[in-house]
Amino acid sequence: MRLHTLGALVALCAGAAYAQPIDENPPTRTIQCIDVGGQLIAASCNVPGSRLDPREYICTCPNGGQRVEVAVCAKGQKPPAESRALNIARREAIRDGSLLGDTVKGQAICVAPRNRG
């Protein structure tokens, strides 16, 4: 019984590590799942019930790929179009576990906000 309780406690602590910072509203970063070739794989995110709240509680990669942080595009900024150049840039950039601050052809790698108003 103690081992089961300890396992649940460890899982809760690990979940908190995957969550976005609470003080960011709207969030400035999110999670993407990237395949070894740099292709994007769909992430599964637990989000608030409100469509007005753009935060994400936790994001995982159930379909595989490396879980990496990526910036959310600022207002007026567009994410780069999916292309071979973007895949190569992501493949090289995820070696440090993050796409924050990385660029492709001079354009910042970012994703559109979850709820664009």
Side-chain angles (χ1 to χ4, degrees):
M1 183 68 163
R2 288 184 191 171
L3 187 58
H4 181 64
T5 305
L6 181 62
L9 181 61
V10 169
L12 284 174
C13 291
Y18 285 130
Q20 290 179 336
I22 295 171
D23 61 342
E24 291 184 356
N25 194 13
T28 59
R29 60 184 179 213
T30 188
I31 299 298
Q32 281 188 332
C33 302
I34 308 295
D35 195 10
V36 294
Q39 295 85 0
L40 190 60
I41 300 174
S44 176
C45 296
N46 183 359
V47 298
S50 170
R51 289 184 286 166
L52 301 176
D53 190 350
R55 293 177 292 177
E56 298 164 342
Y57 297 135
I58 185 170
C59 293
T60 59
C61 297
N63 298 322
Q66 183 175 345
R67 184 182 178 279
V68 296
E69 285 189 326
V70 62
V72 174
C73 296
K75 191 171 186 169
Q77 185 181 23
K78 291 185 178 182
E82 289 294 322
S83 66
R84 184 165 190 232
L86 179 59
N87 289 345
I88 293 169
R90 282 193 294 227
R91 183 182 67 214
E92 298 298 319
I94 64 171
R95 291 182 181 167
D96 66 355
S98 170
L99 293 174
L100 298 173
D102 294 318
T103 62
V104 58
K105 295 184 179 179
Q107 184 180 5
I109 297 176
C110 64
V111 295
R114 189 170 64 85
N115 290 326
R116 200 176 282 271

